Amino acid sequence: MIVAVVVILVLIVIGLIFYNVTIHKKIQKFKNMNQKITNLYVVQDFMNAIGETSSVEDKIKKINDILVERYEIKYSTIVVFNGAEYEIKASNVDSKHWEALKSLHQLDMFKDSIETATPKYVTVNNENERLPYQQMEFGRAKSAIFFPLYIDNVYIGYWIMESGTAHDFDNVDTTVLEVIKENIVSVLKTVVHQKTLESIVRKDLFTGLFSEEYLYGEGKKIIDQYTISTICMFKIINIQQINKTYSRELGNKVITKISELVKDNISSEYVFVRYMGPKFVIAFSGVETNSVADFLNELKEKMEEMKISLSEEEIEELNPDDKPTKKINKKLQEFAMPKINFVISSYYKGTGLEEILKKLEEYLDHTDPTESDITNI
């Protein structure tokens, strides 16, 4: 009888052990699934942050905020080497600690991590200790993981996550952290192109207008405030003839006068740039194509009615030492009348602006020079 009871109890214990193991596996599977869902949400949030009409710095700060919120990280700091120095791109740590945080690459404990492209985990063992890199603080962080960041095998900086609890990352899932790190790298890789565009934007010497690159940075922020806009590109099709028949100086003045006319006739809410050579672009933000047709017809008419010539002062500047011959003088005093070709297209927020501009440019470059209608493509 006793043997039977023992056997039953053993079977019950074995059953409970098996049940507990099964439950543990299910819980672990649920945790993994939940973590994957969290990762997917984070990736989606990252993509939304990249697509926002904000500066590179704002995007990186938004991404850091997402990390802190989604993964419940106490402190998160992203440091990037800009080619000359290390700078804090994003951090939720008080700025008084930034000098120490952007100098971690100088410490021996992290140099090996950078050289081997592997994360470095540091922690204290009791409350009286402090992390080696902390210079003026004791209670803020008690454990940290340092991640060197690489884009295409090129070291670009690091990400460090910190906790106010000792040994807080002892059992952390490093696989998840690697996914986060790769997401950070992907974002930095994406926004670096925007940063490049923002840094090479320049103003045209003659017109004072921004160059084409402005459209893909600050200009796009303005345009993308609306769901649909109209992109207009126009070209002074007889500029080469003006340069050859009269002078390049008169050709430059034609470009200047045309740009001044457009600036005086369009709203400051619209984006107007010198696209390339005799081509210009007007982005009518939030306006559909059928609403700009009449305005552009009137603008084109005003442009082609202009009679542009060099002033006596401008002619004298061309000949500062020698008096021009009557023939040259007469030639320089003649006026030029620009001929303009227009083409427009709709732009929808989130689509490729560069593709639309390429299509408009190809149309202007290959259309009949005598074409005078405003074409919608």
Side-chain angles (χ1 to χ4, degrees), residues 14 24 221 246 259 361:
I14 293 173
H24 176 75
K221 295 179 190 178
Y246 304 102
S259 63
E361 184 178 22

Side-chain angles (χ1 to χ4, degrees), residues 129-355:
E129 290 184 89
R130 66 176 177 178
L131 295 176
Y133 63 84
Q134 294 181 319
Q135 300 172 358
M136 55 178 290
E137 47 184 326
F138 287 90
R140 183 181 67 81
K142 297 295 182 180
S143 56
I145 303 183
F146 175 93
F147 291 91
L149 303 176
Y150 286 79
I151 292 180
D152 299 330
N153 296 321
V154 177
Y155 169 69
I156 61 160
Y158 51 85
W159 167 50
I160 183 168
M161 55 181 288
E162 303 169 289
S163 170
T165 305
H167 294 278
D168 198 25
F169 301 124
D170 286 2
N171 300 313
V172 72
D173 187 347
T174 55
T175 304
V176 172
L177 294 181
E178 282 294 326
V179 171
I180 299 173
K181 185 198 74 172
E182 290 306 315
N183 285 335
I184 293 173
V185 171
S186 296
V187 170
L188 291 174
K189 190 174 183 178
T190 301
V191 298
V192 74
H193 299 299
Q194 180 183 341
K195 185 65 176 179
T196 301
L197 285 173
E198 290 176 356
S199 63
I200 64 175
V201 169
R202 63 193 187 283
K203 280 194 173 182
D204 177 58
L205 177 64
F206 299 109
T207 64
L209 298 175
F210 284 114
S211 60
E212 170 194 356
E213 291 79 13
Y214 180 81
L215 288 170
Y216 308 116
E218 292 298 319
K220 198 169 187 296
K221 295 179 190 178
I222 299 171
I223 301 168
D224 279 352
Q225 291 177 15
Y226 305 90
T227 303
I228 184 172
S229 299
T230 295
I231 307 298
C232 165
M233 183 180 290
F234 68 85
K235 178 181 180 181
I236 307 173
I237 58 177
N238 65 334
I239 194 68
Q240 291 182 346
Q241 179 187 352
I242 293 172
N243 289 340
K244 184 177 179 181
T245 304
Y246 304 102
S247 67
R248 183 168 292 276
E249 287 73 19
L250 182 54
N252 291 338
K253 189 167 184 178
V254 168
I255 289 174
T256 302
K257 290 298 182 182
I258 288 292
S259 63
E260 288 175 356
L261 177 67
V262 175
K263 282 189 286 188
D264 291 341
N265 282 273
I266 65 171
S267 168
S268 58
E269 297 178 3
Y270 303 146
V271 178
F272 179 40
V273 302
R274 185 175 182 183
Y275 185 75
M276 188 181 299
K279 302 187 192 82
F280 296 80
V281 170
I282 309 171
F284 294 94
S285 312
V287 181
E288 296 189 24
T289 54
N290 56 3
S291 300
V292 301
D294 290 340
F295 168 76
L296 290 179
N297 276 313
E298 292 177 7
L299 186 63
K300 184 176 187 297
E301 187 176 335
K302 288 180 180 179
M303 289 177 175
E304 296 185 334
E305 288 177 348
M306 297 176 72
K307 295 181 179 181
I308 303 168
S309 61
L310 296 175
S311 66
E312 292 184 4
E313 291 78 8
E314 289 168 330
I315 294 173
E316 288 177 1
E317 287 179 4
L318 296 178
N319 302 273
D321 300 321
D322 302 319
K323 292 183 178 180
T325 64
K326 291 183 179 180
K327 183 178 180 182
I328 296 176
N329 192 41
K330 183 179 179 181
K331 185 177 180 182
L332 290 173
Q333 287 180 330
E334 291 179 352
F335 62 80
M337 297 183 70
K339 294 185 181 299
I340 316 293
N341 206 342
F342 278 78
V343 61
I344 61 175
S345 182
S346 297
Y347 165 74
Y348 296 90
K349 179 180 178 180
T351 59
L353 179 59
E354 64 280 2
E355 292 300 321

Side-chain angles (χ1 to χ4, degrees), residues 56-71:
V56 169
E57 284 73 17
D58 288 341
K59 287 178 181 179
I60 298 176
K61 289 174 184 175
K62 178 69 178 292
I63 286 159
N64 198 58
D65 291 341
I66 293 170
L67 294 176
V68 172
E69 179 183 350
R70 287 288 189 183
Y71 292 107

